[in-house]
Structures are given as structure tokens and as C-alpha cells.
Amino acid sequence: MCGIAGEVSYSHSVIKNKDSFLRMQKVLTPRGPDQNGLYIKENAALIHSRLCVIDIENGKQPMTAVYDGKEYAIVYNGELYNTDEIRKELTVLGHKFTGHSDTEVILKSFVQWKEACVEKFNGIFAFAIWDDAKKRLFFARDRIGVKPLFYAVRDNSFIFGSEIKALLEHEKIEPIIDENSIAEIMFIGPGRTPGCGVFKGISEMRPASCGYYCESGIKIKKYWTLRDREHTDSFEETVEKVRLLVKDAITRQLVSDVPVGTFLSGGLDSSIISSVANSYFKERGGVLHTFSVTYEDNDKYFKQSKFQPNSDTEYIKIMANYLGCEHHLITLNNKELADALLDAVDARDLPGMADVDSSLLLFCKEIKKHCTVALSGECADEIFGGYPWYRDKTIRMINGFPWAQSTAYRKSFIKDDIKLPDAEEYVYSRYKDTIINTSKMKNITPTESRMKEMMRLNLDWFMQTLLDRKDRMSMYNALEVRVPFCDYRIAEYLYSVPWEFKDYKSYEKGLLREAVTGLLPEEVLWRKKSPYPKTHNPEYLKYVSQMLERVIENPHSPLLTFIKKEELQKLLKTEKSEPWYGQLMTTPQTIAYFVQINYWLEKYKIAII
């Protein structure tokens, strides 16, 4: 994994912007601390900061290749999981390789197939390739959107980067927000409208998209989408296909030239990954390292809820003993958790999921001491229908985003004299656009129709927030986290599987559980879903409340330019657990979210227009 950035311009020589490029490279160093590279021509600059994972010696970037006297150069962030198959195909076509890096395979795939190359890739990626002969840049992002890519067009220049912070180091881009930016933060956040970079004039390349930038401008197209089709496999055939797909996705993602570990929460998804990985390592005479996170005194303060019926501790022990792996339990301090809220903003470049972010950031920091690559269980719930809003018939039929039924509450914090887009319309229009563009076969049942919509909503919105979180918090610590359930083949197949199959035995992710029978102890296999662990210690609430109090007491706090002080004071006194975003963000996290917004405005010196 790496950080990439660059500029293409037809109005001036980019060579004179080298100081900007070095600043852009420097802020991306946490993503890629091992090697740096810079490619500069009259019209194009490509910037790279590398985290070495595959072919350490021969995978250096920017990488160049010359074919028929024409030069091509690439910067790439990601991992390709079908590298070997594509390399063999290219070899038959006459291409020669100097190493075994996936970077070289992607570059030569573009030389061979041009933009059609992305349709061959199974992986997580964002990359840019400069075609020096045609003086144009090709850029692309993976199907699911695991790896990020932001861009801005200024004065006949295209500026891009893995993270927003890289763009903000360029002299042409200023940290400005407007009423739509505030609407994103307050009405959608910590999610984001697909393609929106929140800062004015900054966009994010959408998943499964690729494009060119040349002298005539920018052209972007979508190269893949989920399409509904008739599902002809029997239940038994579906179970077997799911088992094969899941095991293959996990096994492909274990390939690395550096140490690999797995997250292990004691839940279904991480336990499946750890079990398959453990077998893989044992067959090769190795030992799997697994990692779990908990919080200081959490067993003492844990309270059962509808969404979190039991703590992870017991199940982690069951899985660790079952696997015989080398397990690491990481306990986070609540003061450090609160302090790391600010680091989490630095990592994300935006206010995020409060301690849901900062805990992962601290967790990844500890994992990095043992591994450079880790596998995590994100995205199984979106694809297999594991969230409560899939299963509660009342919730799933409500119009709007099921994890954020809080628009009125969010709006109540905005000052009366601040003119923003209508909150309800802003949120509902985005929801409706997603529903309208959901692929559905004709004559399907109302339940099947709604489940297609729910999967589309989750993949385009909720899952993107989690993938943002996973990428930024892990790469801030130079830890590459892979997500096998994001293999596009799994999403593609499961999209058309009937809900009655997914809901096998009327159990959340029943199909997935049946598919992995024999891989896990029964207690874990049928354990009720439990969300990412968060702190239950009242000390955390005390710390974040003190942080927000300091913001409120400072008349110069930028947050107070558009947020009502009295509503923040009321928030600090409330005993009601009001959800802000899903079951993980309630009152303590809402308090922390406002702390993050204020810090973001200060740290990035943001101008509001």
C-alpha cells in the first residue's frame, strides 16, 4: 500500500511546482514510509510514497515502461489479487517482466488493453498512468471503493492524491467550505455523498470508475456496477458457491512478502477469516498472529443492549484456543482514546466516527508492531444482510437511510441565521437517487425489491464510511488492511441471491453461517451479531465532555460560527441516548463528533464562504 499524488497541466510547466510536490509527498509519508519517488515531465508530475509489501526491490515507483518508443509511467496504491493470472496472459502476448510486483502487471496491462485493463483486475486499487506520447493521464479506482482517490481541476490543471491533505498542500488549492460542505458534515456526516470531497472544489473518484484527463478536459466513466439477474442455483449450490468464493478471496489476500495477521473480534466475519488464514499458515509451517481490541474496565461497565447482547471477551478466547494461534489482546486507555480523536481527524482529513475511528487508529498502531498487513472482516454485513435494518421489517421500510434517522435532531444544532440547503430534502434526494438507480429484475416480490435497495444503499453509503475509516486509520500507521469480503465476485454473486437464502433459519447472515460450517466452533458460528467494540467506561464520556466544554467556553471556536452554543450545552447534560449514525454513534460519540469538527476547522485553517 502507498500514497499517490500528482498534477497534469497544459497551462504551464509543472516542473516549477516541485516544492508543492515535495510537500504533497511529505504529508503522504505515513501511508508509505519505506520509499519515495517522483516523476516529472513538462506536463505531468507523479508522486509516490511506498509501503513495501510485494517485491520490495523491483516494485519501486513511479514505475516507467517504454513500448514502441512510447513512455508510460504509473503511481499505484493497492493490491492486485489475480496478479499471477494476468501476468501469464501478458507473457503469452509477448510482455516480459523484471520482477513479481503487481505494479508492473498493472502498467503492462494498460499498455496492452488501455482502459479495458480495469475490467480484468480483482483487487483494491487507485492508480494513475501518464501516457507521455499522447500527453494524457489515465486514472482508476477499484470496484468496491476500498482505496481512495481525490482530485480537483484548477486552471487547466488536474491535481490528485490518495488523501485530501495532499491536495491541500498544492498552491492552487485552498481549504474552503461552503453551505453544501456544512450540510455534508451536519446532515450526512460522518458519511459523505458519493463523489463529494466536502472541501469546495475537491471531488472523490467514485468506486468502479476510470477516466482520462487531457488538454480537452476530464472524462470519467463507470466500468462496473451490480446488476440483478436470475438466480438459478439451488440453496445447496449457493451454499457451496459462497464457501468457495469466501475461502478463495481470503486465501488470495494472504499473499505477501511481509508479515500478515488478522483481526479477531470473536464475531462471525473475523473468525471466518482467521480460521482460513490459520489453515493457510499451518500448511506452510507458519503461525498466525491474531489481534483483538478491548477497553480499560470494559468488563466492569459493559451493559447488554439490543444491538450488543454480549461482550467479545469470551468468544475471542474460544476462537484463539480453537485456532492455536498467537493471539494479542490490546487494551486501550480511555484518556488516550479521547486524545486520539484529533489524530483521527488528521488521518481522515474530516470529522469522522469519533472513538469508532480513534480506537481503530490506536489498535492499528499496536498491530503494526507485529505485522505490516492484516485482514479484517468489514463488509460481510452489507453483502450478506447482517445489520439490524435488514432484518427489522419496520426499520427497513422507512424512507431514508436506516442508520441515520436523525435529520431533525442534527438540524436542531444549526444556528437560525445560517442558510443551508433544506435538511430533509438534502438527505432524502440522495436516498432517492440511490433507490432509483438500483438494478432490479422485473416482477420480483416487494421484499426482494426492497432488499436490493437495501444492499445498494449499504454498499454506496454505509460501507463507504467504514472503508474510509479502515483505510485512513490503518494507513496512518503504515498498516495495510485487506478486506476479503469486499471481493467484487462475492458482491456480484450475492446481489442476486434471494433473501430467503440469505435469511436461512431466520438468522442474520444465515447463508454465510451455513457456508462456513466446520470452519468454526458452534458457539461462534451461531453467535448473534455484535458490532465493533466500543468503550462503556464513563471516564470516556467525562473526557470528551471536558473537551467540548473547552470549545464552548472559547468565544473564538470556529464551531460556534454555525452551531448553537445552547444546544451543545444541552447535549452535555442530556441523559438520553440519541443515535447520530447507526448503533455505534450515540451521545458520547456525538459530543466527540463536535469536538472533531471544531478541531478540523482550526487545524486545516478552513475558510467558510
Side-chain angles (χ1 to χ4, degrees):
M1 293 297 175
C2 311
I4 67 171
E7 179 183 9
V8 171
S9 179
Y10 302 99
S11 61
H12 65 275
S13 170
V14 302
I15 296 171
K16 68 176 186 178
N17 291 344
K18 187 173 181 180
D19 287 346
S20 285
F21 303 148
L22 293 175
R23 290 195 303 272
M24 294 168 78
Q25 187 176 65
K26 184 177 180 181
V27 297
L28 290 174
T29 298
R31 294 185 72 89
D34 299 332
Q35 294 172 355
N36 286 330
L38 188 60
Y39 170 97
I40 302 182
K41 287 292 183 78
E42 187 74 13
N43 299 111
L46 302 181
I47 304 158
H48 197 258
S49 293
R50 186 184 182 204
L51 176 66
C52 296
V53 173
I54 300 287
D55 199 355
I56 294 167
E57 183 55 37
N58 295 304
K60 294 176 181 178
Q61 298 185 47
M63 182 180 288
T64 59
V66 177
Y67 286 87
D68 296 329
K70 299 171 184 176
E71 183 178 72
Y72 303 85
I74 183 173
V75 283
Y76 158 60
N77 167 34
E79 295 292 343
L80 203 59
Y81 302 128
N82 61 340
T83 299
D84 289 345
E85 293 97 315
I86 297 175
R87 185 188 291 112
K88 287 174 184 174
E89 189 175 352
L90 288 166
T91 301
V92 170
L93 292 169
H95 292 269
K96 291 181 169 41
F97 293 86
T98 59
H100 64 276
S101 76
D102 48 351
T103 307
E104 190 176 9
V105 168
I106 287 179
L107 179 56
K108 292 179 180 178
S109 293
F110 177 77
V111 171
Q112 181 65 41
W113 297 299
K114 296 300 184 281
E115 65 267 23
C117 68
V118 292
E119 297 170 20
K120 291 180 172 287
F121 298 155
N122 178 1
I124 54 177
F125 55 82
F127 66 86
I129 297 176
W130 174 247
D131 182 337
D132 195 51
K134 292 187 176 179
K135 302 295 183 212
R136 66 178 183 176
L137 186 78
F138 176 73
F139 48 96
R141 195 170 175 216
D142 67 77
R143 287 172 171 87
I144 302 296
V146 179
K147 290 288 104 182
L149 186 63
F150 294 90
Y151 68 91
V153 178
R154 297 281 193 282
D155 303 327
N156 209 25
S157 295
F158 178 80
I159 303 155
F160 67 93
S162 295
E163 296 179 6
I164 293 170
K165 61 173 63 68
L167 275 69
L168 293 175
E169 290 297 327
H170 195 284
E171 58 191 20
K172 290 181 181 290
I173 301 177
E174 297 179 359
I176 296 171
I177 63 172
D178 59 12
E179 66 275 8
N180 287 308
S181 309
I182 295 173
E184 283 291 311
I185 294 295
M186 289 302 299
F187 304 152
I188 301 291
R192 282 187 292 114
T193 298
C196 174
V198 181
F199 288 88
K200 185 173 176 58
I202 294 180
S203 301
E204 183 175 28
M205 188 74 171
R206 295 187 65 168
S209 296
C210 64
Y212 284 104
Y213 184 77
C214 59
E215 196 161 7
S216 62
I218 188 170
K219 186 175 182 181
I220 294 174
K221 72 170 187 177
K222 201 163 181 65
Y223 64 86
W224 177 84
T225 191
L226 287 172
R227 298 196 184 281
D228 197 16
R229 63 190 185 284
E230 185 179 3
H231 186 78
T232 58
D233 291 348
S234 67
F235 178 73
E236 292 73 22
E237 289 169 334
T238 303
V239 167
E240 183 59 24
K241 184 73 175 287
V242 168
R243 184 181 179 91
L244 290 172
L245 279 171
V246 168
K247 289 184 73 174
D248 184 64
I250 297 167
T251 302
R252 284 177 181 270
Q253 298 191 25
L254 290 168
V255 176
S256 172
D257 292 341
V258 294
V260 178
T262 63
F263 287 42
L264 180 60
S265 70
L268 177 68
D269 311 327
S270 67
S271 296
I272 293 169
I273 292 170
S274 296
S275 181
V276 173
N278 195 56
S279 298
Y280 179 92
F281 276 95
K282 280 185 175 178
E283 288 171 7
R284 288 156 180 78
V287 176
L288 175 68
H289 286 251
T290 56
F291 301 87
S292 303
V293 65
T294 189
Y295 304 87
E296 209 169 51
D297 294 328
N298 233 30
D299 287 341
K300 177 181 176 182
Y301 292 106
F302 177 79
K303 292 179 182 177
Q304 284 187 327
S305 70
K306 176 183 177 182
F307 298 120
Q308 198 152 16
N310 43 48
S311 69
D312 292 336
T313 308
E314 175 190 349
Y315 296 92
I316 291 169
K317 288 178 181 175
I318 291 170
M319 272 307 298
N321 290 334
Y322 175 79
L323 297 173
C325 56
E326 186 162 337
H327 186 65
H328 307 262
L329 177 62
I330 295 164
T331 303
L332 301 181
N333 172 285
N334 285 280
K335 177 67 164 61
E336 293 174 349
L337 185 65
D339 290 342
L341 288 166
L342 309 185
D343 291 335
V345 175
D346 293 344
R348 198 190 266 261
D349 297 320
L350 294 165
M353 298 184 78
D355 55 272
V356 184
D357 277 5
S358 63
S359 60
L360 182 61
L361 185 147
L362 294 172
F363 185 31
C364 289
K365 181 179 179 181
E366 294 302 311
I367 296 173
K368 176 63 180 181
K369 295 175 182 178
H370 305 273
C371 300
T372 300
V373 175
L375 274 63
S376 178
E378 265 85 2
C379 308
D381 286 306
E382 287 85 353
I383 291 169
F384 287 92
Y387 288 124
W389 46 76
Y390 275 99
R391 309 188 50 69
D392 187 314
K393 294 179 182 178
T394 302
I395 296 174
R396 78 182 182 214
M397 294 311 296
I398 296 174
N399 282 330
F401 300 114
W403 53 84
Q405 295 286 315
S406 55
T407 305
Y409 176 55
R410 290 163 174 256
K411 187 170 66 171
S412 69
F413 288 93
I414 305 291
K415 283 185 172 181
D416 297 334
D417 60 344
I418 299 297
K419 302 303 178 188
L420 298 180
D422 180 79
E424 284 77 12
E425 174 59 25
Y426 193 86
V427 175
Y428 184 73
S429 64
R430 283 151 177 75
Y431 162 79
K432 197 67 178 175
D433 284 348
T434 309
I435 296 302
I436 289 170
N437 290 306
T438 297
S439 172
K440 294 182 283 188
M441 290 183 64
K442 294 179 180 178
N443 303 319
I444 59 175
T445 67
T447 296
E448 284 299 324
S449 174
R450 185 55 175 166
M451 287 308 176
K452 295 287 185 292
E453 294 171 354
M454 290 296 286
M455 188 170 174
R456 188 78 263 178
L457 285 166
N458 276 270
L459 289 174
D460 286 1
W461 291 85
F462 194 74
M463 192 169 84
Q464 294 305 315
T465 309
L466 296 182
L467 290 174
D468 270 0
R469 165 184 177 255
K470 182 67 70 178
D471 176 81
R472 306 310 187 281
M473 300 309 124
S474 59
M475 294 304 290
Y476 186 79
N477 293 286
L479 176 72
E480 175 186 317
V481 176
R482 300 173 180 174
V483 278
F485 286 107
C486 276
D487 188 306
Y488 80 92
R489 298 170 303 162
I490 296 175
E492 211 166 50
Y493 184 70
L494 265 295
Y495 188 73
S496 296
V497 170
W499 175 246
E500 64 177 307
F501 284 12
K502 294 179 186 177
D503 195 38
Y504 178 63
K505 291 188 176 179
S506 299
Y507 216 93
E508 67 214 3
K509 294 185 287 192
L511 170 61
L512 179 59
R513 295 175 194 271
E514 182 68 11
V516 298
T517 298
L519 293 180
L520 308 175
E522 286 292 307
E523 309 98 297
V524 176
L525 180 65
W526 295 101
R527 180 192 177 191
K528 183 170 173 56
K529 174 179 167 50
S530 188
Y532 178 82
K534 66 178 182 179
T535 182
H536 297 273
N537 194 322
E539 285 290 293
Y540 175 74
L541 177 58
K542 183 185 82 173
Y543 292 134
V544 296
S545 296
Q546 290 171 347
M547 294 169 82
L548 186 57
E549 283 168 1
R550 289 193 290 272
V551 171
I552 295 170
E553 290 165 3
N554 181 359
H556 303 295
S557 292
L559 179 69
L560 301 180
T561 59
F562 59 88
I563 296 296
K564 295 174 182 175
K565 181 190 288 190
E566 60 271 22
E567 289 300 321
L568 295 176
Q569 292 167 331
K570 191 189 300 184
L571 175 66
L572 288 171
K573 294 174 183 174
T574 187
E575 294 182 3
K576 184 182 178 183
S577 184
E578 187 84 39
W580 181 274
Y581 193 83
Q583 66 266 36
L584 285 177
M585 288 187 72
T586 54
T587 300
Q589 289 73 36
T590 304
I591 291 170
Y593 186 63
F594 281 113
V595 171
Q596 287 192 317
I597 296 173
N598 189 73
Y599 172 77
W600 174 64
L601 293 166
E602 286 183 334
K603 171 70 185 289
Y604 288 75
K605 297 180 174 60
I606 294 171
I608 303 174
I609 61 169

